[in-house]
Amino acid sequence: MESLLAALMGDFLGTPVYFWVAFIALVIGLLVFDLGILHKDEHEIGARESLTLYGFYVLIAIAFGGWVWWQRGSEAGLEFFTGYLIEQSLAMDNMFVIATIFGFLAIPRIYQHRVLFWGILGVIAFRAILIGLGAALVYQFNWILFGFGAFLVFTGFRMFRHQDETPDIEHNPVFQFLTKRFRVTKELHGRNFTVKQADPKTGKLVTWLTPLAVALIMVEVVDLIFAVDSVPAVFAVTQDTFIVYTSNIFAILGLRALYFALAAAMNRFRYLQTSLAIILVLVGIKIFLVPLHIHIDTLLSLLVTISILAGGVIFSLYKTRNEPDIGAEQAPKTGQLEP
C-alpha cells in the first residue's frame, strides 16, 4: 500500500501521478456512461438531447477545472479554462467539416454518434502524441514557439480568405486514397464498419470497408489536421502538459456531444469562422511573445476569447434569423463510392 501511495504521489511530466489517474478514470467513466447507458440502444440524437449532453460535459469540465484550481492554484485553474475555451472555439470549425463528410457519404443520423464515439478514442491517442511531442520540442527548443506563433497567425489569415469555401470531399486526398486502395461498399451495412463480401474478380469472400468506416477514418484525419492548429494555440496559454492535454480532451468531448445541435443548423453559424480566424491570429501573437518574456494576463486572454466567440455566434444568429435551418443531411450528395 505504501509503495502504491508513493507511486501516486510521484511526478509525471511535472504533475503528480494521481492527477493523471483521476483524469483517465474520469474520461473512461464518461465514455462507458455515454456508450453503455445513454446510447446503449442506437437512436437519432436530436438538438435537445445534444444540448443537454453538451451541458453535462461542460459541467464536468467546470468541476474538473475547479478541482485543478483548488489543488494547484488559481493560475493553473485559469490556464485550464482558457485552454479549454480556445480548443472548443477552434474545434468548432472541425465540427462543420465533419458534418460535411457525413452529408457527402449519406451517413444517417442514427449512426453518426457511433462514428463520433469511436473517433474519440483516436483523439485521445493522437492528441497525447502531438502534445507530448510539442511539449518536448518547447522544453528543448524554446525558440520553436516563434514558429508556432507565426504558423497560427498564417493559419488565421488563411481562414479569412477561405471562410466561404465548402470542403471538397469528393476530391479529398484521403477519400481518393481509401476508395482507390481499399474495397469499399457503395451502401451501408447497418452499424458495421466492415463486411464480408465476395470479390467481383476472384469470387473469394473478402473484407470490405463500409461508408461508415470511410467516415470514421476521414473524421480521424480531419481531427489530426485541426489539432496541428489547436494544440500549439493552447501552448500560448501554458506549457504545462497536463493542462494542455486535459483541456483539449474535455473540449473535444463536449463538442462531439454538441455536434448534433450544430449540424442541424449549419447555415445559422455562417460568420463564426471569422471569429475563429481572429482568435487564431491573437493566440498566434500571444505565443510569439512567450519567448520574449512578454506575458499577457491569462484572465484577460480568457475574457477576450469569450467575447470574440460570443460575438461571432450572436452576430451569426442575428444575420441568419430569417433563414430556415439547413443541416448536413440536407446538403446535396454528389459523391459516388466505387468498389
Side-chain angles (χ1 to χ4, degrees):
M1 180 61 71
E2 290 183 2
S3 59
L4 177 60
L5 289 174
L8 290 175
M9 295 304 295
D11 183 87
F12 179 68
L13 298 177
T15 299
V17 172
Y18 74 89
F19 273 79
W20 291 100
V21 172
F23 167 71
I24 293 170
L26 179 58
V27 170
I28 291 174
L30 288 172
L31 293 178
V32 170
F33 176 71
D34 190 313
L35 187 65
I37 299 177
L38 292 182
H39 300 103
K40 184 178 181 179
D41 300 317
E42 284 180 325
H43 61 279
E44 291 191 14
I45 298 176
R48 177 176 294 181
E49 181 180 350
S50 177
L51 290 170
T52 301
L53 190 57
Y54 173 68
F56 168 74
Y57 276 112
V58 168
L59 288 176
I60 294 294
I62 291 173
F64 186 85
W67 180 64
V68 170
W69 189 309
W70 175 52
Q71 290 287 322
R72 301 185 58 182
S74 59
E75 186 65 23
L78 279 174
E79 289 174 350
F80 173 85
F81 288 119
T82 305
Y84 172 79
L85 189 63
I86 288 176
E87 174 61 32
Q88 277 223 339
S89 303
L90 300 181
M92 277 191 179
D93 202 35
N94 189 1
M95 295 297 102
F96 295 121
V97 176
I98 291 174
T100 305
I101 292 172
F102 284 156
F104 177 82
L105 295 173
I107 305 297
R109 289 176 66 89
I110 193 172
Y111 298 131
Q112 290 176 8
H113 176 268
R114 178 171 170 78
V115 173
L116 294 176
F117 175 84
W118 290 109
I120 284 290
L121 301 182
V123 169
I124 292 172
F126 291 139
R127 292 294 171 109
I129 294 170
L130 280 176
I131 291 170
L133 179 61
L137 288 173
V138 170
Y139 179 77
Q140 292 291 331
F141 312 102
N142 188 253
W143 54 263
I144 204 170
L145 291 172
F146 288 126
F148 285 172
F151 175 72
L152 292 177
V153 171
F154 168 77
T155 304
F157 281 113
R158 185 181 62 184
M159 188 180 289
F160 274 120
R161 294 199 306 270
H162 302 287
Q163 59 183 314
D164 294 326
E165 294 181 6
T166 301
D168 186 359
I169 305 300
E170 187 172 8
H171 297 99
N172 181 278
V174 178
F175 177 77
Q176 293 287 322
F177 176 81
L178 290 173
T179 52
K180 288 179 180 178
R181 298 301 179 96
F182 295 89
R183 302 179 184 91
V184 181
T185 63
K186 291 184 179 181
E187 67 286 335
L188 288 166
H189 288 264
R191 65 199 298 272
N192 298 319
F193 290 114
T194 61
V195 65
K196 291 284 188 179
Q197 285 189 348
D199 186 296
K201 295 180 180 179
T202 65
K204 293 182 179 179
L205 204 62
V206 293
T207 300
W208 293 63
L209 298 179
T210 68
L212 209 63
V214 174
L216 176 60
I217 294 169
M218 293 192 71
V219 165
E220 291 292 342
V221 173
V222 164
D223 181 80
L224 189 60
I225 293 171
F226 275 88
V228 175
D229 291 341
S230 61
V231 169
V234 182
F235 275 110
V237 178
T238 178
Q239 287 79 59
D240 186 320
T241 309
F242 179 79
I243 299 296
V244 175
Y245 185 60
T246 56
S247 62
N248 258 255
I249 298 305
F250 276 117
I252 296 300
L253 284 171
L255 273 184
R256 292 292 168 95
L258 184 62
Y259 165 79
F260 296 94
L262 290 175
M266 289 198 309
N267 62 307
R268 297 296 308 280
F269 298 93
R270 185 176 304 153
Y271 302 97
L272 181 60
Q273 201 169 39
T274 301
S275 295
L276 305 184
I278 294 172
I279 290 173
L280 265 179
V281 171
L282 292 179
V283 169
I285 294 172
K286 186 178 189 297
I287 199 172
F288 195 86
L289 296 175
V290 171
L292 301 176
H293 305 289
I294 300 175
H295 175 70
I296 297 177
D297 185 70
T298 305
L299 180 58
L300 177 62
S301 299
L302 178 62
L303 294 175
V304 169
T305 303
I306 291 173
S307 300
I308 295 173
L309 181 62
V313 171
I314 293 170
F315 184 71
S316 294
L317 294 176
Y318 174 76
K319 292 291 287 186
T320 60
R321 63 191 182 282
N322 296 322
E323 297 181 15
D325 294 346
I326 299 176
E329 66 279 359
Q330 297 169 272
K333 281 68 172 183
T334 57
Q336 178 74 27
L337 288 175
E338 298 292 342

